[in-house]
Amino acid sequence: MGDYRLTQLGTSEFEHMSQSLLAALIGASNVKVYGVGRDGGRELTTDAVFEIEEGLQWSGYTVAQAKFRARPGSADANATWLRSQIRAELQDWISPIANRHPKPDNLLFISNVPLSAVPGHGLDAVEDVFGDFADRLPLKAYAVWHYDHVCRLLDSYPGVRAAYAGLLTSGDVLTELRQVLLGEVINIGEVLHRHAAKELVAEQWVRLGESGSRAHEKLQIGQVGVDLQALAAVGDTDPASRPIQVLEHMIIAGNGVLRPSIYEGPEPHRVLVGGPGQGKTTVGQLLCQIYRANLVSDLDSIGPQAAGVVTTLRQHLAASGLPIPINKRWPLRLDLSGYADVLGGNPATSVLRHLASQISDRGADTITAGQLKTWLSSWPWLLVLDGFDEVVAPQVREAMIDRIADFFIDAASVDADLMVIATTRPQGYSAEFSPDQYQHLHLMPLTSGQAEAFARKLADVRLGDDPDAHANVLARIGEAARDPLTARLMVTPLQVTIMSLLLEGRARVPQDRYTLFADYYRTIYGREVAKNTATARLLERHRRTVDQLHEKVGLRLQIQAESSGKADAALPNREVQTLARQILDKEDHPVEEAQRLAEQIAAAATTRLVLLVAKHADDVGFDVRSLQELMAARALTTGPDGGIMERLRAIALSAHWRNTFLLAAGRLATDRRHLVDAILVLLEDLDTSSYLTMYLHPAAGLALDLLDDKFAAPSPRVEMKLVRKAVEVLQSPPIVGFLDASDILQRAALTGSALLGPFIADVAKTSLAADPPQRITAAIMMRRWARGTGALAALGRQRTAGDFAEFGSDQAAVIRAHYLTRSVAPRVKGMPGQPRRGGAAANTGANRCHQTVAGYFRTGSEDVAVSAIFDLEDGRAWDDILQTFDGIAVTSVGSKPMPAIKQPRYHRATLARALNRPAVANHLAQRLLALDPDDWAVASTVADIIKNVLQSRPAGGALGS
């Protein structure tokens, strides 16, 4: 008999497994299973005739109930506990207050506790309790299944055993695979176990950890990785929602069995949304490492390097208080930029095929996509999809979403126990990972206390052998955290890491984000020069050349990322050499000397050249994307003022270039202060370039980001101008990302000049009094504010109701159906009360809703109207828009009824081509303005689509490289 760790299941999963065992014994079609919650003393019932054990048949109405003890004790203690549990249930069956009906003919109790087989003790003592109720609850039969009986059933039903393999396995997975799995999957599991050990070693380092350190050591993620706080998008507008500890939350969510045939909770998948340097990738990396370490206990079987990583991780978990995963998920981190490059060459490459190729490349064994699918059916998975924001090319982005959707179909076809975590920046993200399928977690800025705690962790590792330096850095960090001007530069882990490094050699820190990153580059450069190496001497003699090379490489990589097949930010060594040679030639170096120096510089970059590092065998790039963007920003802000402003205009509305724009603006505010007003004028120009931009106010989003980046601070004048532009989001439909806007406005009101809060409040109150969609936007923003502190929070609590009752039942229904995330709803098929999707009935009788979005943009005489406005090419472009909108179904909601839309799918490339025609874009803006106010959900959907199309337009072609 197998020895299964039933205590690892927990109450819920033990109940589910008990139900699965009975369904296997009796037949799934013959049983009724009860879900989570009050069950009236029932986990499962049946009226079938079945053999409960060999030679013993039960008939009539049978009720089964599970009894789980988290910490089983001695045999006598277990018997006493189970006897009391059963007694309480029997008492309820006879109690008129409990009123349980119908009464059972047979009762079965299933427990995880071991019981003694000694006559008169253990099982006998437990079963004696039934005799006490024989006259009041006459039963035909009863039984108690304890630990040994459950283990025998798991031996007999391998399908059930395999479904719970990740929870039933304890200790070293490799040694127990043969106990819980069967056939070929054991061999696959052994190969993938070895792969996990290799990934432990390969993924152990923190990015940015090795450059410029005092002893040139790397930092293990297990030493410095921290949990971060996030707000769930579910309840985004709920004042009662509270921050979530991301790692703890994900580990707990992953502890259950998530097979669709078993799981009935909220959607288990997550999207982690965070800005540059907020730690998205590090969280995914650390989570995978935690799960890998949890897969092994026999450290001798994985080699000394992997064993050392496991030991460090376990010490980190113990010190940090993070829970150890119960379900032993097999973790994989998929770098989406690398996958995007594969899709650029072959858009049909499946997720499983790509993963199989990556795994095979790292070992002696070849794994196929089919074998991975077999493993997916047999073992629980954690899949981290890292860096969706780095997939810029629209065609590749759409192909990737399609391939991920295909992967979920594959997973569902094998009833996979799967948890997926995706990461992305908010810029350019349009909920491609459906809120119906993924819960969205928005990373929060670090508080001063959290920043200091993280800095202390860094100092403990980097300066643990130098008490004086350790104390000095922490004192300087504390001083910076208390200064409002520098505290705002300590809100992400990356910023704190850079700040800590800078304060190892200086007493004061920069007061703007651009200077923080630029000083980091200068510090690293100085430390590299201080080394006694040939590269150090090269850096010392040719600083200007190396600076320009960094800038040109950063800009070229940013431009390349917009192209299909170039998302992975790396430049071939030969191109680096060519760029170096071009720089040297402009300085009139002799030909032979220029060639020699270019070769030396390119060769140095294959190991490390300040911030340039080897990415693969024959190319280089930056460790951290923000540093690439820093160098691109420097490249854009070099030269005459006019050229600089033209380049900034070209990238201003691009999501891909947003962080580069902010860093560039920061440099200008520091080095060319006279261009600050030119940037403010640019914001106004962007919103008046067409009727469509006048409707969408796209520059409001840029103003918000500049405001949050403290552009040109401290300047109340600039701050107010940015706020005046930023509050235009309150005049727009509620589109994806506008809750981030509400947070930025609230932070500005709390930390900015005294005039900002009242001004924002007045605009919000005006919008709340307007027609939808402005009113809807203002109301949802105010509910978001109500969770915080300050005047805007008080306004939110005063002016809004928790259930949007102030709008009436119809509008409230639209808000819930169209906007609020549904991933908290249980995954129960045929849930009552859900709105119907489109269909013939959606546009009949008194129903004013159209079946698709296109219906709101057609007129009764569409052909005549189009021919009067458009030429032939414009007419075709307008038809493309209508055809795209015809693919977006409308939900009829409320008694009025009114339209709501969930998860629109569309092809950006088609819309981008159509919107390049000015007459078509202007006509679309006019149709948006003509929509009925009650059709705000349609306006919101279309505005979001168009905004994302505009933000995804390639901008690099106007920049050169």
Side-chain angles (χ1 to χ4, degrees), residues 501-769:
L501 186 144
L502 293 180
L503 289 176
E504 289 178 17
R506 55 198 287 183
R508 300 185 64 81
V509 295
Q511 296 189 350
D512 67 272
R513 194 165 68 97
Y514 167 77
T515 307
L516 176 72
F517 281 89
D519 282 0
Y520 171 75
Y521 170 65
R522 285 190 284 267
T523 299
I524 300 304
Y525 202 114
R527 293 189 178 186
E528 293 294 316
V529 167
K531 298 176 183 178
N532 186 23
T533 64
T535 300
R537 291 186 286 276
L538 183 72
L539 291 172
E540 187 174 22
R541 294 183 191 129
H542 301 283
R543 181 182 292 267
R544 182 181 298 177
T545 300
V546 174
D547 286 349
Q548 291 182 45
L549 181 64
H550 276 76
E551 293 166 8
K552 285 183 174 293
V553 171
L555 180 58
R556 181 164 294 188
L557 290 176
Q558 277 292 109
I559 294 172
Q560 280 189 178
E562 294 183 313
S563 303
S564 175
K566 296 292 184 69
D568 190 13
L571 202 63
N573 294 338
R574 64 181 182 278
E575 291 190 36
V576 175
Q577 183 175 322
T578 299
L579 287 175
R581 175 65 188 269
Q582 291 171 356
I583 296 167
L584 291 163
D585 285 345
K586 287 183 178 180
E587 296 297 325
D588 292 334
H589 285 273
V591 173
E592 291 184 1
E593 180 185 340
Q595 182 61 31
R596 176 178 55 80
L597 288 173
E599 290 174 356
Q600 290 176 351
I601 291 171
T606 61
T607 53
R608 175 175 288 278
L609 185 71
V610 194
L611 299 183
L612 290 173
V613 298
K615 299 296 288 286
H616 307 100
D618 59 352
D619 54 28
V620 300
F622 294 86
D623 258 343
V624 179
R625 185 176 166 196
S626 290
L627 300 178
Q628 173 183 306
E629 292 164 327
L630 166 73
M631 291 303 166
R634 286 167 57 119
L636 294 177
T637 50
T638 299
D641 291 352
I644 290 172
M645 293 310 302
E646 283 304 309
R647 290 190 288 272
L648 291 188
R649 179 183 296 275
I651 67 170
L653 297 183
S654 168
H656 171 62
W657 289 91
R658 178 55 52 87
N659 194 41
T660 304
F661 183 99
L662 296 176
L663 288 166
R667 186 186 194 189
L668 297 182
T670 301
D671 297 344
R672 304 195 191 198
R673 188 82 183 184
H674 60 280
L675 290 181
V676 166
D677 283 333
I679 291 175
L680 297 175
V681 170
L682 173 61
L683 294 178
E684 294 297 335
D685 291 347
L686 291 170
D687 274 355
T688 56
S689 60
S690 70
Y691 288 119
L692 200 55
T693 56
M694 291 171 67
Y695 177 82
L696 293 173
H697 304 287
L702 180 54
L704 282 160
D705 288 337
L706 286 165
L707 184 67
D708 207 35
D709 211 43
K710 299 297 181 182
F711 168 66
S715 171
R717 179 184 70 86
V718 172
E719 199 172 43
M720 179 56 81
K721 283 183 175 291
L722 290 174
V723 167
R724 286 184 180 280
K725 173 55 65 175
V727 294
E728 290 178 5
V729 296
L730 283 158
Q731 300 167 20
S732 304
I735 58 180
V736 171
F738 84 101
L739 289 176
D740 291 329
S742 70
D743 291 345
I744 292 172
L745 289 173
Q746 189 165 35
R747 283 196 292 272
L750 289 170
T751 63
S753 67
L755 298 175
L756 298 187
F759 176 77
I760 296 169
D762 286 344
V763 174
K765 287 185 280 190
T766 300
S767 295
L768 192 65

